[in-house]
Amino acid sequence: MAAQVRAMLRIKRAEDNLRQKKDCLEKLVQERTKQLSESEERYRILFNRASDAVFVYHLITEVIPGQFVEANDTACQMFGYSKEELLQLCILNINGPESLGDVLSFSERLIIEKHVIFETECLTKAGRRLPVEISAHLFDFKGQPTVLSIVCDITERKRIEQEVQKSQRLESLGVLAGGIAHDFNNLLTAILGNLTLGKIYAQSGKTALTALTALTAAERACQQAKGLTQQLITFSKGGEPIKRAASISKLLRDAVTLILSSSGARCELSLPDNLFWAEVDEGQISQVINNVLINADQAVPSGGLIEVRALNVIVRAKDGLPLKDGKYIKISVKDNGAGIPEKYLQKIFDPYFTTKSGGNGLGLAITHSIIKKHNGCIKVESGTGAGTTFHIYLPASERELFTEEDIAREKVLFGRGKILFMDDQKSIRDTVGEILTYLGYKVEFAEDGFEAISLYKHAKESGQNFDAVILDLSVPEGMGGREAIQKLREIDPEVKAIVTSGYSHDPIMSEYKVYGFHDVVTKPYAIEEISRVLHRVTLAK
């Protein structure tokens, strides 16, 4: 009996111990659960109240690659979707068509590097473009590659950057305008002086060759003045390039001859016979090459070696260049001068940054702007005592075959046919009319678009069609070429129209075919240029 009592007491004590342990365990579980709940709540508050949008998505799924599995409240507010709507979308749904290539490219990088940061544009539910900076982290979640993407709205940052750039451009323009005014006055002196000499020689009975020499010098100064105004337009308004297929080999040879012929430096020029051509604005690319060559020449003031090389290259994403995949021409200009200190390398393309006494710091800034507008890029390699190499990449032309006419750029081409020339300035009508008559064309004139339309319509109805029409883009007190071409195309869908203007930054000048023109010529133009354009247009099928 006593043994049974003792056994029962032991059982009771064991039950009490178990009960106490159970109570302690339940209390511990409750405390831990409370802590986890509080921790999760804190995480949820932080997640939803983050100032940036946060998305979580699986990189690869069997259903929809990149479908969102989580998004915070800020993401909903930023993009205008409800949480339920966002979780039905994938990463590609919030990016515009132009940005998809960037997203796919950076996704490939993310797989390798695990963390990437890049800028792009997203689309809100309302269709608004949103400039963003994305910081994406790749991690493993239950065996599945998962991305945590933090999206920062950089609209305000972009606005400030634009304001800063505008301020810098205005400041730079002051420097540029001062220099151009000085150079322009020198050129006007040369033009006026040589024209005066031409008149004196003609009146005094001097030989025609003597007068021709003075007039040729005036013509050369006019071409230099055109280059100066183009620099100002390129830097101030953007100077949209007016592209044509051009031989980069020829541009390089011409630039080397012009810049380095009187230099103390020795030049090695290496160009393959099969170098690609490029669709470029010849004047702007010549300006780029000249600027880089001048820099190289100034880097070796006591004489040295300048190497100019060009290659056909294929660019791929793995090359790490800010370029689309494809064929490019790579131009390299190398000097063996003192080099550029590393601390300056990131600044050399900034407007008005210079280390040269008397320099204005605009040459490379303009160069960078031109190359960017040609969908290319420019890189620099340098170091103290190691010389400097500039690498320029230009997209190759899709064209493969070129005629002798493409190469013989300086030839005046005569023609036949009837031309309608519209310009609101009588002096221009008179001068260009004489030139066109000399080239073999019959010319009729219009002061504005209304008169041009009337003359063209009357000629067509009478069976005496014009072979080509040259329209000035802007007429301040009447209809310009922009409106006139639409009316002319209604009368004759096959009208062969050429647009001309001194405003090379107007989008019509760079995308003239989109607006219904066959060709373009920029004021001021030489007789060789207008003859080539007319020859090309009047012979076109």
Side-chain angles (χ1 to χ4, degrees):
M1 185 68 179
Q4 289 180 341
V5 172
R6 286 195 297 271
M8 290 177 66
L9 289 173
R10 284 198 300 272
I11 291 170
K12 188 176 184 305
R13 283 197 295 270
E15 289 176 346
D16 290 342
N17 288 334
L18 285 172
R19 191 177 295 107
Q20 289 176 0
K21 289 179 179 179
K22 182 182 178 183
D23 291 342
C24 288
L25 183 58
E26 287 179 349
K27 186 176 181 181
L28 180 60
V29 168
Q30 290 174 355
E31 289 176 353
R32 291 293 174 85
T33 302
K34 183 180 179 182
Q35 290 173 357
L36 286 172
S37 178
E38 291 175 348
S39 176
E40 183 179 348
E41 183 61 23
R42 284 196 297 270
Y43 159 77
R44 180 61 58 185
I45 291 172
L46 290 172
F47 181 74
N48 283 318
R49 293 186 181 178
S51 58
D52 296 329
V54 181
F55 296 93
V56 179
Y57 61 91
H58 296 314
L59 195 59
I60 303 171
T61 69
E62 296 179 356
V63 186
I64 303 176
Q67 183 170 1
F68 299 128
V69 295
E70 186 59 275
N72 67 352
D73 291 348
T74 305
C76 298
Q77 295 165 7
M78 187 180 293
F79 288 89
Y81 293 98
S82 68
K83 178 70 71 66
E84 292 74 18
E85 288 174 326
L86 268 182
L87 297 185
Q88 295 298 315
L89 303 178
C90 73
I91 187 67
L92 299 181
N93 295 131
I94 64 169
N95 285 276
E98 303 86 356
S99 306
L100 294 183
D102 291 340
V103 173
L104 294 174
S105 174
F106 281 104
S107 294
E108 292 174 1
R109 275 186 52 197
L110 185 60
I111 294 173
I112 299 170
E113 301 175 19
K114 310 304 180 188
H115 176 218
V116 296
I117 299 176
F118 63 99
E119 289 185 13
T120 187
E121 273 192 350
C122 288
L123 283 178
T124 66
K125 183 180 180 179
R128 183 170 66 90
R129 295 180 181 275
L130 192 68
V132 297
E133 180 183 85
I134 298 178
S135 176
H137 305 258
L138 181 65
F139 62 96
D140 182 85
F141 180 74
K142 296 182 180 180
Q144 192 168 20
T146 303
V147 179
L148 173 68
S149 183
I150 301 173
V151 181
C152 177
D153 181 353
I154 57 173
T155 302
E156 182 63 15
R157 190 177 87 190
K158 288 293 184 182
R159 187 191 65 78
I160 293 172
E161 286 177 359
Q162 290 173 359
E163 289 297 322
V164 170
Q165 289 172 4
K166 182 178 179 181
S167 175
Q168 289 175 340
R169 185 179 291 115
L170 289 173
E171 186 171 348
S172 299
L173 278 174
V175 177
L176 184 63
I180 285 182
H182 174 268
D183 293 342
F184 223 102
N185 283 333
N186 286 340
L187 289 171
L188 288 174
T189 300
I191 293 168
L192 185 59
N194 279 293
L195 289 176
T196 302
L197 286 174
K199 288 172 65 178
I200 292 172
Y201 294 153
Q203 292 170 352
S204 62
K206 292 273 182 128
T207 65
L209 182 61
T210 306
L212 181 62
T213 300
L215 292 174
T216 301
E219 182 183 39
R220 190 181 305 116
C222 285
Q223 292 293 344
Q224 292 174 321
K226 179 180 178 180
L228 280 176
T229 57
Q230 186 59 45
Q231 285 189 45
L232 184 60
I233 290 170
T234 298
F235 199 71
S236 63
K237 295 284 189 180
E240 291 298 328
I242 300 171
K243 299 177 183 177
R244 296 189 187 284
S247 167
I248 298 301
S249 292
K250 182 179 185 302
L251 295 182
L252 286 168
R253 288 193 184 96
D254 289 348
V256 166
T257 301
L258 176 67
I259 304 299
L260 302 181
S261 58
S262 60
S263 168
R266 181 168 60 90
C267 179
E268 288 185 0
L269 181 62
S270 176
L271 303 172
D273 293 335
N274 65 339
L275 190 66
F276 295 144
W277 283 43
E279 299 284 342
V280 298
D281 184 309
E282 291 187 46
Q284 291 190 11
I285 295 302
S286 293
Q287 185 180 345
V288 164
I289 298 169
N290 291 347
N291 285 345
V292 175
L293 285 175
I294 289 170
N295 272 7
D297 187 38
Q298 292 175 343
V300 287
S302 301
L305 176 64
I306 297 174
E307 300 174 53
V308 180
R309 305 183 185 281
L311 295 169
N312 296 330
V313 298
I314 306 295
V315 171
R316 298 285 183 246
K318 64 181 181 181
D319 298 324
L321 294 168
L323 299 170
K324 294 181 179 179
D325 290 2
K327 296 179 181 180
Y328 288 80
I329 302 138
K330 179 183 179 182
I331 303 167
S332 298
V333 178
K334 179 180 180 181
D335 67 66
N336 63 350
I340 303 170
E342 186 176 353
K343 64 181 180 179
Y344 294 144
L345 282 179
Q346 301 300 319
K347 301 179 180 179
I348 61 171
F349 296 112
D350 291 351
Y352 61 85
F353 173 81
T354 182
T355 58
K356 302 172 187 174
S357 59
N360 61 21
L362 293 172
L364 288 179
I366 292 173
T367 293
H368 185 274
S369 173
I370 291 173
I371 294 297
K372 187 175 180 181
K373 287 183 178 295
H374 279 78
N375 300 317
C377 75
I378 180 168
K379 298 289 184 181
V380 61
E381 295 176 2
S382 189
T384 305
T388 301
T389 304
F390 283 93
H391 299 292
I392 298 169
Y393 292 81
L394 290 171
S397 172
E398 294 298 321
R399 294 177 59 183
E400 295 181 358
L401 300 176
F402 298 89
T403 65
E404 289 301 316
E405 180 190 333
D406 292 318
I407 298 170
R409 292 289 181 171
E410 302 306 319
K411 185 179 178 182
V412 174
L413 301 175
F414 294 88
R416 290 181 303 172
K418 186 179 175 184
I419 308 299
L420 175 58
F421 183 79
M422 185 271 280
D423 196 289
D424 62 320
Q425 297 292 319
K426 185 178 185 303
S427 59
I428 294 177
R429 294 197 301 273
D430 291 345
T431 303
V432 176
E434 289 292 329
I435 291 173
L436 296 182
T437 301
Y438 169 75
L439 290 173
Y441 298 99
K442 295 180 180 179
V443 191
E444 290 190 26
F445 303 96
E447 290 188 22
D448 62 16
F450 293 110
E451 187 175 3
I453 292 166
S454 175
L455 289 171
Y456 192 91
K457 185 176 181 181
H458 180 268
K460 186 171 178 59
E461 290 173 348
S462 62
Q464 299 177 340
N465 291 2
F466 287 102
D467 296 282
V469 181
I470 302 174
L471 300 173
D472 186 25
L473 182 60
S474 302
V475 175
E477 297 181 2
M479 180 189 288
R482 185 191 304 267
E483 298 83 10
I485 185 60
Q486 304 303 323
K487 299 295 184 182
L488 289 176
R489 283 172 62 83
E490 292 175 8
I491 298 169
D492 180 8
E494 303 300 321
V495 59
K496 294 180 178 180
I498 300 164
V499 62
T500 181
S501 178
Y503 295 106
S504 64
H505 63 276
D506 193 292
I508 292 181
M509 298 295 286
S510 56
E511 301 289 342
Y512 57 91
K513 289 185 178 179
V514 175
Y515 294 87
F517 292 96
H518 272 62
D519 220 313
V520 61
V521 61
T522 307
K523 294 178 181 179
Y525 40 81
I527 186 172
E528 295 85 358
E529 187 176 3
I530 190 65
S531 76
R532 286 197 308 271
V533 171
L534 276 172
H535 192 262
R536 189 162 52 234
V537 170
T538 54
L539 292 182
K541 298 295 183 182

